[in-house]
Amino acid sequence: MRLPLRLGLGMAVPAILVVGWAVASDLRLVSPDALPPPGDVLNAGRRELATGTLLDVLSHSVVSALLGWLLAAAIGITIGLAVGMSPRTDTFSSSSIEFARAIPAVALVPVAILIFGFDLRAELLVVAFAATWPVLVNTAAAVRMVPQQLDDTARTLQLGRLERLTKVVLPAAAPRIFVGLRLALATAVTLMAVAEMTGNPDGIGNELVLAQSSLRPDVAMLYTLTIGALGVGLNAMLLLAGRLPGLRTVLLAGPS
Amino acid sequence: MIRLVPAAVRRLGGWAAGLLPLASLLAGWQLLGDDGSAFFPRPLRWVEAVTGLGWTEVLTAVVDTLTRFAGGLALAFVIGSLLGLVIGRLPLVDAAVSPTLEFLRATPAPAVVPLIVLIAGSGTTTLLIAVTLAALWPILLNTAASARSIEPLLGDVAKTLQLSTWKRTTTITVPAIVPGAFVGARVALPIALVVTLLAEMLTGAGGLGGSLLTAQRTYATATAYGLLVVAGVLGVLLAFVFGVVESRVTRAWSHGRRA
């Protein structure tokens, strides 16, 4: 299918949905208590911006998600490298990792709150915990997949352990590690929302729950869309960062 | 010498060996910890606290959560695979709907829950809707991908053999997309569980999520830890059971297919 037709069709659907939404609200086909008209949502947006709330909570949430993600990246890559490079470490840790991975991160929120109180640290604990696993799993897989040839060449050249790691393993594993980091970012945004909805009374998630309990569907819709945009936006930024000269060949080259 | 040990035993041994970090953490905590600690009660206290809630209570909560989770996942499986099939086989629909779907997929499912509660109230339907929506996207997208890549040759075979639409659907289309739908469901499983627990917390609907929230609100730290472990065990069991079901179905449907 030709590109213009594709693009046109692709943009037609959201356009139709939004128009349909506006019309249905206008004709009172849906109760405004259930689905707020688009105009209301925009007004809510304008209000929240004016009072500074929108930017406030947005910055809290972004910081929380990114910080948790960075923590997860550090921990995940470290353990992933250890597990991937040493089969023995793998054997003596894989079941534990599988169990910890299966814990639904939302169940960690009460414990986090009870330890840290209603605090950013509780939020970070939950976000970092959940986001570590995609990084860890993908890093370990990436390292395991480094072609035997490369490893043998490194040994032939008598490269030290550290050199082997930095000059051979990491560059070869980088694209897959990047995939793990992107997955982790989406996870971080999700769990940031969860932690703010159920624990830390701060940030977008909290505003969302407040809107729910005060029966303000327009504000709720606004913040739901904001979180969606946040997830899409952060992912796009990470992809762009990967395309920067220098990083591009390392991160976006597929396995060769 | 190790080679003489049957493979299954070795696998079990490997699995057990992997539990070492977790086991040492719990053991160390139990030995060195302090029951009086407000933040880090010892593991045996967790067991005490959870059993203190009463077995009926805990089991009812878990069963409630499981029912909602399974119901939502099943619904998402049916709807997702049907829609995915349609989207995958109709290129026009595919091109029109894909960008919107990509955006919807990138929206964190938990973020939609409060809105659903506002629209649909606090009842069980809301929970079901929330879990279904959360699990829908991976299943839909994976099924669509499978449907798109059905071997074109098979279409010609169907025409040559003059297969009826029913025959064609059951012998070619369904076996082609069901494994993909299961992969999507496997991906959707963790997020569906998270959304189930989250929705329970936000709607006061009890279940494991409700119990967790109560433990937090009553500062019952040991109970919170204990329920966390219960949730973890639940997650592991669900993943395991699903893995078994998936491999059975995939083997049955993939028999004879290339790769």
mmCIF file of all heavy atoms in Angstrom, chain B residues 48-99:
data_model
loop_
_atom_site.group_PDB
_atom_site.id
_atom_site.type_symbol
_atom_site.label_atom_id
_atom_site.label_comp_id
_atom_site.label_asym_id
_atom_site.label_seq_id
_atom_site.Cartn_x
_atom_site.Cartn_y
_atom_site.Cartn_z
ATOM 1 N N GLU B 48 3.057 -16.233 60.448
ATOM 2 C CA GLU B 48 2.137 -16.052 61.578
ATOM 3 C C GLU B 48 1.024 -15.074 61.219
ATOM 4 O O GLU B 48 -0.155 -15.331 61.433
ATOM 5 C CB GLU B 48 2.929 -15.438 62.738
ATOM 6 C CG GLU B 48 3.109 -16.307 63.937
ATOM 7 C CD GLU B 48 3.794 -15.503 65.028
ATOM 8 O OE1 GLU B 48 3.087 -14.787 65.758
ATOM 9 O OE2 GLU B 48 5.034 -15.564 65.091
ATOM 10 N N ALA B 49 1.449 -13.913 60.680
ATOM 11 C CA ALA B 49 0.495 -12.832 60.414
ATOM 12 C C ALA B 49 -0.549 -13.264 59.398
ATOM 13 O O ALA B 49 -1.744 -13.010 59.579
ATOM 14 C CB ALA B 49 1.234 -11.591 59.928
ATOM 15 N N VAL B 50 -0.111 -13.921 58.333
ATOM 16 C CA VAL B 50 -1.062 -14.307 57.289
ATOM 17 C C VAL B 50 -2.010 -15.383 57.789
ATOM 18 O O VAL B 50 -3.224 -15.319 57.572
ATOM 19 C CB VAL B 50 -0.331 -14.779 56.011
ATOM 20 C CG1 VAL B 50 -1.308 -15.366 55.030
ATOM 21 C CG2 VAL B 50 0.413 -13.620 55.379
ATOM 22 N N THR B 51 -1.446 -16.381 58.484
ATOM 23 C CA THR B 51 -2.331 -17.421 59.017
ATOM 24 C C THR B 51 -3.249 -16.839 60.075
ATOM 25 O O THR B 51 -4.378 -17.310 60.271
ATOM 26 C CB THR B 51 -1.542 -18.608 59.600
ATOM 27 O OG1 THR B 51 -0.448 -18.111 60.367
ATOM 28 C CG2 THR B 51 -1.011 -19.489 58.508
ATOM 29 N N GLY B 52 -2.757 -15.765 60.741
ATOM 30 C CA GLY B 52 -3.598 -15.088 61.718
ATOM 31 C C GLY B 52 -4.844 -14.485 61.108
ATOM 32 O O GLY B 52 -5.860 -14.309 61.783
ATOM 33 N N LEU B 53 -4.765 -14.161 59.812
ATOM 34 C CA LEU B 53 -5.945 -13.596 59.153
ATOM 35 C C LEU B 53 -7.041 -14.638 59.009
ATOM 36 O O LEU B 53 -8.208 -14.319 58.783
ATOM 37 C CB LEU B 53 -5.579 -13.082 57.755
ATOM 38 C CG LEU B 53 -4.750 -11.820 57.661
ATOM 39 C CD1 LEU B 53 -4.424 -11.551 56.188
ATOM 40 C CD2 LEU B 53 -5.516 -10.624 58.209
ATOM 41 N N GLY B 54 -6.660 -15.892 59.101
ATOM 42 C CA GLY B 54 -7.642 -16.955 58.918
ATOM 43 C C GLY B 54 -7.565 -17.519 57.519
ATOM 44 O O GLY B 54 -7.572 -16.783 56.534
ATOM 45 N N TRP B 55 -7.467 -18.823 57.428
ATOM 46 C CA TRP B 55 -7.299 -19.455 56.124
ATOM 47 C C TRP B 55 -8.452 -19.165 55.185
ATOM 48 O O TRP B 55 -8.278 -18.956 53.989
ATOM 49 C CB TRP B 55 -7.143 -20.977 56.273
ATOM 50 C CG TRP B 55 -5.739 -21.357 56.575
ATOM 51 C CD1 TRP B 55 -5.273 -21.957 57.707
ATOM 52 C CD2 TRP B 55 -4.598 -21.111 55.742
ATOM 53 N NE1 TRP B 55 -3.909 -22.123 57.622
ATOM 54 C CE2 TRP B 55 -3.477 -21.608 56.442
ATOM 55 C CE3 TRP B 55 -4.412 -20.540 54.476
ATOM 56 C CZ2 TRP B 55 -2.194 -21.550 55.908
ATOM 57 C CZ3 TRP B 55 -3.135 -20.483 53.963
ATOM 58 C CH2 TRP B 55 -2.038 -20.978 54.674
ATOM 59 N N THR B 56 -9.691 -19.180 55.736
ATOM 60 C CA THR B 56 -10.846 -18.919 54.863
ATOM 61 C C THR B 56 -10.742 -17.539 54.242
ATOM 62 O O THR B 56 -10.956 -17.356 53.041
ATOM 63 C CB THR B 56 -12.182 -19.003 55.639
ATOM 64 O OG1 THR B 56 -11.907 -18.913 57.028
ATOM 65 C CG2 THR B 56 -12.902 -20.275 55.312
ATOM 66 N N GLU B 57 -10.383 -16.562 55.092
ATOM 67 C CA GLU B 57 -10.243 -15.191 54.592
ATOM 68 C C GLU B 57 -9.258 -15.120 53.440
ATOM 69 O O GLU B 57 -9.568 -14.594 52.364
ATOM 70 C CB GLU B 57 -9.719 -14.304 55.727
ATOM 71 C CG GLU B 57 -10.779 -13.717 56.600
ATOM 72 C CD GLU B 57 -10.859 -12.203 56.429
ATOM 73 O OE1 GLU B 57 -10.306 -11.677 55.445
ATOM 74 O OE2 GLU B 57 -11.495 -11.579 57.287
ATOM 75 N N VAL B 58 -8.060 -15.655 53.701
ATOM 76 C CA VAL B 58 -7.000 -15.550 52.695
ATOM 77 C C VAL B 58 -7.400 -16.287 51.421
ATOM 78 O O VAL B 58 -7.254 -15.772 50.311
ATOM 79 C CB VAL B 58 -5.677 -16.114 53.251
ATOM 80 C CG1 VAL B 58 -4.603 -16.063 52.195
ATOM 81 C CG2 VAL B 58 -5.242 -15.347 54.477
ATOM 82 N N LEU B 59 -7.926 -17.515 51.594
ATOM 83 C CA LEU B 59 -8.295 -18.297 50.416
ATOM 84 C C LEU B 59 -9.401 -17.609 49.618
ATOM 85 O O LEU B 59 -9.358 -17.566 48.389
ATOM 86 C CB LEU B 59 -8.737 -19.704 50.825
ATOM 87 C CG LEU B 59 -7.576 -20.696 50.952
ATOM 88 C CD1 LEU B 59 -8.014 -21.984 51.596
ATOM 89 C CD2 LEU B 59 -6.964 -20.967 49.587
ATOM 90 N N THR B 60 -10.409 -17.074 50.341
ATOM 91 C CA THR B 60 -11.481 -16.367 49.633
ATOM 92 C C THR B 60 -10.901 -15.215 48.821
ATOM 93 O O THR B 60 -11.252 -15.030 47.646
ATOM 94 C CB THR B 60 -12.504 -15.780 50.619
ATOM 95 O OG1 THR B 60 -12.699 -16.704 51.680
ATOM 96 C CG2 THR B 60 -13.819 -15.494 49.930
ATOM 97 N N ALA B 61 -9.998 -14.464 49.447
ATOM 98 C CA ALA B 61 -9.406 -13.329 48.756
ATOM 99 C C ALA B 61 -8.680 -13.778 47.492
ATOM 100 O O ALA B 61 -8.852 -13.211 46.408
ATOM 101 C CB ALA B 61 -8.448 -12.594 49.691
ATOM 102 N N VAL B 62 -7.870 -14.834 47.637
ATOM 103 C CA VAL B 62 -7.099 -15.313 46.493
ATOM 104 C C VAL B 62 -8.025 -15.812 45.383
ATOM 105 O O VAL B 62 -7.824 -15.514 44.204
ATOM 106 C CB VAL B 62 -6.118 -16.433 46.922
ATOM 107 C CG1 VAL B 62 -5.479 -17.061 45.713
ATOM 108 C CG2 VAL B 62 -5.056 -15.877 47.843
ATOM 109 N N VAL B 63 -9.044 -16.572 45.782
ATOM 110 C CA VAL B 63 -9.985 -17.097 44.772
ATOM 111 C C VAL B 63 -10.700 -15.962 44.060
ATOM 112 O O VAL B 63 -10.852 -15.972 42.836
ATOM 113 C CB VAL B 63 -10.995 -18.066 45.427
ATOM 114 C CG1 VAL B 63 -12.126 -18.370 44.462
ATOM 115 C CG2 VAL B 63 -10.305 -19.353 45.833
ATOM 116 N N ASP B 64 -11.119 -14.943 44.827
ATOM 117 C CA ASP B 64 -11.764 -13.770 44.212
ATOM 118 C C ASP B 64 -10.861 -13.162 43.155
ATOM 119 O O ASP B 64 -11.278 -12.929 42.015
ATOM 120 C CB ASP B 64 -12.056 -12.709 45.282
ATOM 121 C CG ASP B 64 -13.358 -12.975 46.001
ATOM 122 O OD1 ASP B 64 -14.155 -13.768 45.470
ATOM 123 O OD2 ASP B 64 -13.565 -12.400 47.082
ATOM 124 N N THR B 65 -9.606 -12.918 43.552
ATOM 125 C CA THR B 65 -8.659 -12.317 42.616
ATOM 126 C C THR B 65 -8.469 -13.202 41.393
ATOM 127 O O THR B 65 -8.486 -12.732 40.253
ATOM 128 C CB THR B 65 -7.304 -12.077 43.301
ATOM 129 O OG1 THR B 65 -7.509 -11.288 44.455
ATOM 130 C CG2 THR B 65 -6.335 -11.389 42.379
ATOM 131 N N LEU B 66 -8.295 -14.501 41.638
ATOM 132 C CA LEU B 66 -8.085 -15.432 40.529
ATOM 133 C C LEU B 66 -9.249 -15.432 39.557
ATOM 134 O O LEU B 66 -9.058 -15.434 38.340
ATOM 135 C CB LEU B 66 -7.914 -16.852 41.081
ATOM 136 C CG LEU B 66 -6.478 -17.341 41.205
ATOM 137 C CD1 LEU B 66 -6.447 -18.677 41.906
ATOM 138 C CD2 LEU B 66 -5.833 -17.442 39.834
ATOM 139 N N THR B 67 -10.474 -15.426 40.085
ATOM 140 C CA THR B 67 -11.653 -15.448 39.209
ATOM 141 C C THR B 67 -11.669 -14.224 38.315
ATOM 142 O O THR B 67 -11.868 -14.331 37.102
ATOM 143 C CB THR B 67 -12.956 -15.465 40.028
ATOM 144 O OG1 THR B 67 -12.711 -16.034 41.301
ATOM 145 C CG2 THR B 67 -14.022 -16.257 39.309
ATOM 146 N N ARG B 68 -11.457 -13.047 38.935
ATOM 147 C CA ARG B 68 -11.485 -11.827 38.136
ATOM 148 C C ARG B 68 -10.378 -11.843 37.091
ATOM 149 O O ARG B 68 -10.580 -11.471 35.934
ATOM 150 C CB ARG B 68 -11.320 -10.615 39.050
ATOM 151 C CG ARG B 68 -12.473 -10.445 39.981
ATOM 152 C CD ARG B 68 -12.093 -9.673 41.213
ATOM 153 N NE ARG B 68 -13.234 -9.592 42.112
ATOM 154 C CZ ARG B 68 -13.167 -9.210 43.368
ATOM 155 N NH1 ARG B 68 -11.990 -8.872 43.870
ATOM 156 N NH2 ARG B 68 -14.236 -9.169 44.132
ATOM 157 N N PHE B 69 -9.186 -12.274 37.528
ATOM 158 C CA PHE B 69 -8.045 -12.308 36.622
ATOM 159 C C PHE B 69 -8.324 -13.242 35.445
ATOM 160 O O PHE B 69 -8.161 -12.872 34.282
ATOM 161 C CB PHE B 69 -6.815 -12.773 37.394
ATOM 162 C CG PHE B 69 -5.672 -13.191 36.534
ATOM 163 C CD1 PHE B 69 -4.817 -12.246 35.997
ATOM 164 C CD2 PHE B 69 -5.452 -14.523 36.250
ATOM 165 C CE1 PHE B 69 -3.759 -12.625 35.190
ATOM 166 C CE2 PHE B 69 -4.398 -14.905 35.441
ATOM 167 C CZ PHE B 69 -3.549 -13.956 34.914
ATOM 168 N N ALA B 70 -8.758 -14.476 35.772
ATOM 169 C CA ALA B 70 -8.977 -15.472 34.725
ATOM 170 C C ALA B 70 -10.099 -15.036 33.785
ATOM 171 O O ALA B 70 -9.984 -15.195 32.562
ATOM 172 C CB ALA B 70 -9.307 -16.824 35.354
ATOM 173 N N GLY B 71 -11.164 -14.470 34.358
ATOM 174 C CA GLY B 71 -12.269 -14.014 33.529
ATOM 175 C C GLY B 71 -11.831 -12.952 32.544
ATOM 176 O O GLY B 71 -12.124 -13.027 31.349
ATOM 177 N N GLY B 72 -11.092 -11.964 33.066
ATOM 178 C CA GLY B 72 -10.634 -10.889 32.197
ATOM 179 C C GLY B 72 -9.687 -11.393 31.126
ATOM 180 O O GLY B 72 -9.778 -10.992 29.957
ATOM 181 N N LEU B 73 -8.771 -12.279 31.500
ATOM 182 C CA LEU B 73 -7.799 -12.800 30.541
ATOM 183 C C LEU B 73 -8.505 -13.617 29.453
ATOM 184 O O LEU B 73 -8.197 -13.494 28.266
ATOM 185 C CB LEU B 73 -6.762 -13.664 31.263
ATOM 186 C CG LEU B 73 -5.545 -14.082 30.433
ATOM 187 C CD1 LEU B 73 -4.783 -12.849 29.959
ATOM 188 C CD2 LEU B 73 -4.624 -14.968 31.246
ATOM 189 N N ALA B 74 -9.473 -14.438 29.884
ATOM 190 C CA ALA B 74 -10.196 -15.257 28.912
ATOM 191 C C ALA B 74 -10.960 -14.386 27.928
ATOM 192 O O ALA B 74 -10.912 -14.595 26.711
ATOM 193 C CB ALA B 74 -11.148 -16.208 29.631
ATOM 194 N N LEU B 75 -11.638 -13.383 28.464
ATOM 195 C CA LEU B 75 -12.389 -12.462 27.603
ATOM 196 C C LEU B 75 -11.453 -11.770 26.620
ATOM 197 O O LEU B 75 -11.741 -11.660 25.423
ATOM 198 C CB LEU B 75 -13.077 -11.417 28.488
ATOM 199 C CG LEU B 75 -14.439 -10.924 28.013
ATOM 200 C CD1 LEU B 75 -15.391 -12.091 27.873
ATOM 201 C CD2 LEU B 75 -14.988 -9.898 28.981
ATOM 202 N N ALA B 76 -10.316 -11.304 27.155
ATOM 203 C CA ALA B 76 -9.346 -10.631 26.304
ATOM 204 C C ALA B 76 -8.833 -11.566 25.230
ATOM 205 O O ALA B 76 -8.606 -11.164 24.083
ATOM 206 C CB ALA B 76 -8.180 -10.100 27.136
ATOM 207 N N PHE B 77 -8.673 -12.849 25.569
ATOM 208 C CA PHE B 77 -8.177 -13.831 24.610
ATOM 209 C C PHE B 77 -9.163 -13.965 23.453
ATOM 210 O O PHE B 77 -8.775 -13.928 22.278
ATOM 211 C CB PHE B 77 -7.979 -15.179 25.299
ATOM 212 C CG PHE B 77 -7.270 -16.191 24.455
ATOM 213 C CD1 PHE B 77 -5.881 -16.229 24.413
ATOM 214 C CD2 PHE B 77 -7.982 -17.095 23.684
ATOM 215 C CE1 PHE B 77 -5.215 -17.149 23.624
ATOM 216 C CE2 PHE B 77 -7.321 -18.013 22.894
ATOM 217 C CZ PHE B 77 -5.940 -18.052 22.857
ATOM 218 N N VAL B 78 -10.436 -14.135 23.793
ATOM 219 C CA VAL B 78 -11.447 -14.318 22.747
ATOM 220 C C VAL B 78 -11.558 -13.070 21.876
ATOM 221 O O VAL B 78 -11.445 -13.125 20.651
ATOM 222 C CB VAL B 78 -12.811 -14.660 23.389
ATOM 223 C CG1 VAL B 78 -13.906 -14.614 22.347
ATOM 224 C CG2 VAL B 78 -12.758 -16.015 24.056
ATOM 225 N N ILE B 79 -11.756 -11.922 22.528
ATOM 226 C CA ILE B 79 -11.941 -10.684 21.767
ATOM 227 C C ILE B 79 -10.684 -10.338 20.992
ATOM 228 O O ILE B 79 -10.723 -9.993 19.808
ATOM 229 C CB ILE B 79 -12.314 -9.516 22.698
ATOM 230 C CG1 ILE B 79 -13.605 -9.829 23.437
ATOM 231 C CG2 ILE B 79 -12.463 -8.233 21.914
ATOM 232 C CD1 ILE B 79 -14.011 -8.744 24.421
ATOM 233 N N GLY B 80 -9.547 -10.462 21.669
ATOM 234 C CA GLY B 80 -8.288 -10.081 21.051
ATOM 235 C C GLY B 80 -7.963 -10.936 19.842
ATOM 236 O O GLY B 80 -7.501 -10.429 18.816
ATOM 237 N N SER B 81 -8.183 -12.246 19.950
ATOM 238 C CA SER B 81 -7.832 -13.093 18.817
ATOM 239 C C SER B 81 -8.791 -12.858 17.653
ATOM 240 O O SER B 81 -8.368 -12.851 16.494
ATOM 241 C CB SER B 81 -7.791 -14.567 19.216
ATOM 242 O OG SER B 81 -8.907 -14.909 19.984
ATOM 243 N N LEU B 82 -10.081 -12.654 17.952
ATOM 244 C CA LEU B 82 -11.032 -12.385 16.866
ATOM 245 C C LEU B 82 -10.683 -11.089 16.156
ATOM 246 O O LEU B 82 -10.579 -11.043 14.921
ATOM 247 C CB LEU B 82 -12.456 -12.318 17.418
ATOM 248 C CG LEU B 82 -13.089 -13.676 17.696
ATOM 249 C CD1 LEU B 82 -14.416 -13.517 18.415
ATOM 250 C CD2 LEU B 82 -13.289 -14.436 16.389
ATOM 251 N N LEU B 83 -10.495 -10.010 16.943
ATOM 252 C CA LEU B 83 -10.159 -8.723 16.328
ATOM 253 C C LEU B 83 -8.822 -8.806 15.608
ATOM 254 O O LEU B 83 -8.649 -8.276 14.508
ATOM 255 C CB LEU B 83 -10.111 -7.628 17.395
ATOM 256 C CG LEU B 83 -11.452 -7.170 17.939
ATOM 257 C CD1 LEU B 83 -11.247 -6.103 19.012
ATOM 258 C CD2 LEU B 83 -12.303 -6.589 16.807
ATOM 259 N N GLY B 84 -7.874 -9.482 16.218
ATOM 260 C CA GLY B 84 -6.553 -9.606 15.611
ATOM 261 C C GLY B 84 -6.635 -10.321 14.277
ATOM 262 O O GLY B 84 -5.965 -9.957 13.310
ATOM 263 N N LEU B 85 -7.476 -11.343 14.235
ATOM 264 C CA LEU B 85 -7.657 -12.083 12.987
ATOM 265 C C LEU B 85 -8.196 -11.168 11.896
ATOM 266 O O LEU B 85 -7.675 -11.122 10.783
ATOM 267 C CB LEU B 85 -8.620 -13.253 13.224
ATOM 268 C CG LEU B 85 -8.977 -14.096 11.992
ATOM 269 C CD1 LEU B 85 -7.721 -14.707 11.410
ATOM 270 C CD2 LEU B 85 -9.968 -15.182 12.376
ATOM 271 N N VAL B 86 -9.256 -10.418 12.240
ATOM 272 C CA VAL B 86 -9.852 -9.501 11.273
ATOM 273 C C VAL B 86 -8.819 -8.488 10.779
ATOM 274 O O VAL B 86 -8.653 -8.265 9.581
ATOM 275 C CB VAL B 86 -11.058 -8.772 11.907
ATOM 276 C CG1 VAL B 86 -11.509 -7.621 11.032
ATOM 277 C CG2 VAL B 86 -12.192 -9.745 12.142
ATOM 278 N N ILE B 87 -8.110 -7.885 11.735
ATOM 279 C CA ILE B 87 -7.139 -6.861 11.362
ATOM 280 C C ILE B 87 -6.027 -7.449 10.515
ATOM 281 O O ILE B 87 -5.574 -6.863 9.530
ATOM 282 C CB ILE B 87 -6.569 -6.187 12.622
ATOM 283 C CG1 ILE B 87 -7.661 -5.390 13.318
ATOM 284 C CG2 ILE B 87 -5.394 -5.296 12.290
ATOM 285 C CD1 ILE B 87 -7.240 -4.806 14.644
ATOM 286 N N GLY B 88 -5.581 -8.644 10.887
ATOM 287 C CA GLY B 88 -4.461 -9.227 10.170
ATOM 288 C C GLY B 88 -4.812 -9.629 8.749
ATOM 289 O O GLY B 88 -3.963 -9.592 7.858
ATOM 290 N N ARG B 89 -6.059 -10.049 8.533
ATOM 291 C CA ARG B 89 -6.411 -10.542 7.211
ATOM 292 C C ARG B 89 -6.951 -9.468 6.281
ATOM 293 O O ARG B 89 -7.128 -9.707 5.108
ATOM 294 C CB ARG B 89 -7.475 -11.662 7.340
ATOM 295 C CG ARG B 89 -7.034 -12.854 8.148
ATOM 296 C CD ARG B 89 -5.783 -13.494 7.647
ATOM 297 N NE ARG B 89 -5.944 -14.105 6.328
ATOM 298 C CZ ARG B 89 -4.935 -14.482 5.548
ATOM 299 N NH1 ARG B 89 -3.710 -14.260 5.951
ATOM 300 N NH2 ARG B 89 -5.167 -15.047 4.404
ATOM 301 N N LEU B 90 -7.268 -8.283 6.819
ATOM 302 C CA LEU B 90 -7.801 -7.219 5.971
ATOM 303 C C LEU B 90 -6.832 -6.052 5.943
ATOM 304 O O LEU B 90 -6.858 -5.216 6.839
ATOM 305 C CB LEU B 90 -9.163 -6.752 6.500
ATOM 306 C CG LEU B 90 -10.244 -7.810 6.565
ATOM 307 C CD1 LEU B 90 -11.506 -7.261 7.217
ATOM 308 C CD2 LEU B 90 -10.581 -8.316 5.158
ATOM 309 N N PRO B 91 -5.984 -5.961 4.922
ATOM 310 C CA PRO B 91 -4.923 -4.951 4.903
ATOM 311 C C PRO B 91 -5.447 -3.530 5.037
ATOM 312 O O PRO B 91 -4.785 -2.683 5.640
ATOM 313 C CB PRO B 91 -4.263 -5.155 3.534
ATOM 314 C CG PRO B 91 -4.629 -6.532 3.132
ATOM 315 C CD PRO B 91 -5.955 -6.824 3.730
ATOM 316 N N LEU B 92 -6.642 -3.262 4.504
ATOM 317 C CA LEU B 92 -7.182 -1.910 4.601
ATOM 318 C C LEU B 92 -7.466 -1.555 6.058
ATOM 319 O O LEU B 92 -7.097 -0.490 6.547
ATOM 320 C CB LEU B 92 -8.466 -1.823 3.769
ATOM 321 C CG LEU B 92 -8.641 -0.540 2.980
ATOM 322 C CD1 LEU B 92 -7.559 -0.439 1.914
ATOM 323 C CD2 LEU B 92 -10.005 -0.496 2.316
ATOM 324 N N VAL B 93 -8.147 -2.471 6.730
ATOM 325 C CA VAL B 93 -8.448 -2.259 8.150
ATOM 326 C C VAL B 93 -7.152 -2.126 8.938
ATOM 327 O O VAL B 93 -6.993 -1.280 9.810
ATOM 328 C CB VAL B 93 -9.295 -3.430 8.698
ATOM 329 C CG1 VAL B 93 -9.502 -3.291 10.180
ATOM 330 C CG2 VAL B 93 -10.614 -3.511 7.969
ATOM 331 N N ASP B 94 -6.195 -2.997 8.606
ATOM 332 C CA ASP B 94 -4.905 -2.991 9.271
ATOM 333 C C ASP B 94 -4.254 -1.620 9.198
ATOM 334 O O ASP B 94 -3.866 -1.034 10.204
ATOM 335 C CB ASP B 94 -4.007 -4.037 8.590
ATOM 336 C CG ASP B 94 -2.761 -4.322 9.392
ATOM 337 O OD1 ASP B 94 -2.616 -3.746 10.483
ATOM 338 O OD2 ASP B 94 -1.931 -5.118 8.923
ATOM 339 N N ALA B 95 -4.153 -1.088 7.977
ATOM 340 C CA ALA B 95 -3.490 0.200 7.816
ATOM 341 C C ALA B 95 -4.227 1.301 8.556
ATOM 342 O O ALA B 95 -3.617 2.203 9.116
ATOM 343 C CB ALA B 95 -3.388 0.536 6.326
ATOM 344 N N ALA B 96 -5.565 1.215 8.563
ATOM 345 C CA ALA B 96 -6.342 2.281 9.199
ATOM 346 C C ALA B 96 -6.200 2.246 10.713
ATOM 347 O O ALA B 96 -6.102 3.276 11.366
ATOM 348 C CB ALA B 96 -7.810 2.135 8.810
ATOM 349 N N VAL B 97 -6.185 1.054 11.265
ATOM 350 C CA VAL B 97 -6.328 0.923 12.712
ATOM 351 C C VAL B 97 -4.986 0.846 13.444
ATOM 352 O O VAL B 97 -4.874 1.202 14.611
ATOM 353 C CB VAL B 97 -7.197 -0.330 12.985
ATOM 354 C CG1 VAL B 97 -7.025 -0.826 14.373
ATOM 355 C CG2 VAL B 97 -8.651 -0.016 12.705
ATOM 356 N N SER B 98 -3.942 0.408 12.742
ATOM 357 C CA SER B 98 -2.661 0.153 13.420
ATOM 358 C C SER B 98 -2.072 1.319 14.200
ATOM 359 O O SER B 98 -1.670 1.133 15.342
ATOM 360 C CB SER B 98 -1.629 -0.364 12.409
ATOM 361 O OG SER B 98 -1.865 -1.706 12.143
ATOM 362 N N PRO B 99 -1.994 2.533 13.625
ATOM 363 C CA PRO B 99 -1.385 3.622 14.411
ATOM 364 C C PRO B 99 -2.138 3.870 15.725
ATOM 365 O O PRO B 99 -1.511 4.059 16.770
ATOM 366 C CB PRO B 99 -1.485 4.832 13.483
ATOM 367 C CG PRO B 99 -1.643 4.276 12.132
ATOM 368 C CD PRO B 99 -2.360 2.989 12.272
#
